[in-house]
């Protein structure tokens, strides 16, 4: 069968569905299903602890405070990388204490020069141990996904979600949203799991 005949069969088979009505959405009040208000501090701490547990289960790593972040990079021998411009004033002094150099503009032509990338997390999801990255809070998606070590800052601006549903109903109008659940992973047909093939090999969250 040639290509034209093949696609003609597909068209004729799907023509019968052209007049079919779309399935209506359920009649629910979305405001009753979830709230996107930031949780109280006690609940925020509980969500962070639940996130830590699940993040660790998917090979993610967490640190507390900027000195710990800088020490982590020093121990990893990651002495040059990228910091999102809006975070430079906050993160920069701690990095300088450990003699760690950074740039605030990510050059795609020099991608191998960056051992780490530091960006702000738009949100964290306790249920799945996922970090939410959005264009509105992640200055450079390439800087977040290309270096071997990606560190996300969890601060007062970071949303805390209890469930994946809450996060997916609070996407906003960003042109892209990334849910990062630990380091990138892939497996071949023999079931051998390899981390860091098409993204960060180490995914780290730092609460400040």
């Amino acid at each position: 069968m040639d290509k034209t005949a093949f696609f003609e069969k597909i068209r004729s088979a799907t023509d019968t569905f052209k007049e079919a009505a779309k399935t209506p959405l359920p009649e629910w009040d979305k405001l009753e299903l979830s709230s996107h208000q930031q949780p109280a501090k006690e609940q925020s701490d509980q969500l962070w602890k639940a996130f830590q547990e699940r993040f660790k289960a998917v090979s993610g790593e967490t640190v507390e405070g900027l000195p710990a972040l800088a020490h982590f990079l020093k121990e990893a021998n990651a002495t040059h990388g990228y910091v999102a411009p809006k975070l430079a004033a906050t993160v920069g002094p701690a990095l300088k204490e450990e003699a760690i150099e950074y740039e605030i503009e990510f050059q795609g032509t020099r991608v191998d020069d960056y051992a780490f990338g530091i960006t702000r997390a738009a949100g964290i999801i306790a249920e799945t141990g996922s970090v939410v990255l959005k264009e509105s809070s992640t200055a450079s998606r390439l800087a977040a996904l290309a270096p071997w070590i990606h560190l996300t800052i969890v601060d007062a601006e970071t949303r805390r979600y209890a469930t994946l549903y809450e996060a997916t109903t609070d996407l906003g109008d960003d042109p892209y949203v990334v849910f990062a659940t630990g380091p990138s992973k892939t497996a071949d047909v023999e079931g051998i799991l390899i981390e860091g093939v098409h993204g960060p090999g180490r995914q780290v969250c730092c609460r400040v």
Side-chain angles (χ1 to χ4, degrees), residues 1-17:
M1 180 184 295
D2 65 22
K3 183 172 68 174
T4 302
F6 174 77
F7 283 108
E8 185 55 41
K9 281 185 174 290
I10 295 177
R11 292 190 191 93
S12 61
T14 56
D15 280 345
T16 57
F17 300 107

Side-chain angles (χ1 to χ4, degrees), residues 37-81:
Q37 295 181 359
Q38 285 287 57
K41 185 180 186 306
E42 181 179 350
Q43 185 186 6
S44 178
D45 289 342
Q46 292 173 347
L47 290 176
W48 169 253
K49 290 178 181 178
F51 165 79
Q52 276 185 302
E53 179 182 339
R54 290 161 178 78
F55 195 56
K56 182 179 179 181
V58 293
S59 302
E61 303 168 75
T62 61
V63 294
E64 297 269 358
L66 295 176
L69 179 152
H71 181 71
F72 172 89
L73 290 174
K74 190 74 171 182
E75 288 290 300
N77 198 31
T79 57
H80 181 266

Side-chain angles (χ1 to χ4, degrees), residues 73-74 77-83 95 98-107 110-117 147-149:
L73 290 174
K74 190 74 171 182
N77 198 31
T79 57
H80 181 266
Y82 165 86
V83 175
L95 298 184
E98 295 286 359
I100 295 173
E101 299 178 353
Y102 66 89
E103 301 175 30
I104 60 173
E105 183 177 350
F106 192 86
Q107 301 288 340
R110 297 172 40 239
V111 65
D112 291 332
D113 293 343
Y114 303 92
F116 65 85
W148 179 251
I149 301 174

Side-chain angles (χ1 to χ4, degrees), residues 14-185:
T14 56
D15 280 345
T16 57
F17 300 107
K18 286 183 177 180
E19 302 303 322
K22 291 184 178 180
T23 303
L25 294 173
E27 295 182 2
W28 58 40
D29 185 346
K30 293 181 180 179
L31 294 178
E32 293 182 358
L33 291 174
S34 63
S35 171
H36 301 310
Q37 295 181 359
Q38 285 287 57
K41 185 180 186 306
E42 181 179 350
Q43 185 186 6
S44 178
D45 289 342
Q46 292 173 347
L47 290 176
W48 169 253
K49 290 178 181 178
F51 165 79
Q52 276 185 302
E53 179 182 339
R54 290 161 178 78
F55 195 56
K56 182 179 179 181
V58 293
S59 302
E61 303 168 75
T62 61
V63 294
E64 297 269 358
L66 295 176
L69 179 152
H71 181 71
F72 172 89
L73 290 174
K74 190 74 171 182
E75 288 290 300
N77 198 31
T79 57
H80 181 266
Y82 165 86
V83 175
K86 291 183 179 180
L87 294 174
T90 303
V91 177
L95 298 184
K96 289 180 180 179
E97 284 290 324
E98 295 286 359
I100 295 173
E101 299 178 353
Y102 66 89
E103 301 175 30
I104 60 173
E105 183 177 350
F106 192 86
Q107 301 288 340
T109 56
R110 297 172 40 239
V111 65
D112 291 332
D113 293 343
Y114 303 92
F116 65 85
I118 300 178
T119 65
R120 173 178 280 119
I124 57 173
I125 308 173
E127 180 183 36
T128 58
S130 302
V131 178
V132 183
L133 305 175
K134 294 184 178 181
E135 184 179 40
S136 58
S137 56
T138 305
S140 171
R141 183 173 19 163
L142 185 61
L145 302 179
W148 179 251
I149 301 174
H150 176 218
L151 297 107
T152 50
I153 300 298
V154 176
D155 57 16
E157 295 183 30
T158 303
R159 309 287 288 183
R160 274 76 162 170
Y161 302 106
T163 66
L164 180 62
Y165 175 81
E166 288 183 8
T168 56
T169 55
D170 192 30
L171 297 179
D173 56 1
D174 280 81
Y176 81 80
V177 178
V178 175
F179 287 6
T181 308
S184 68
K185 301 175 181 67

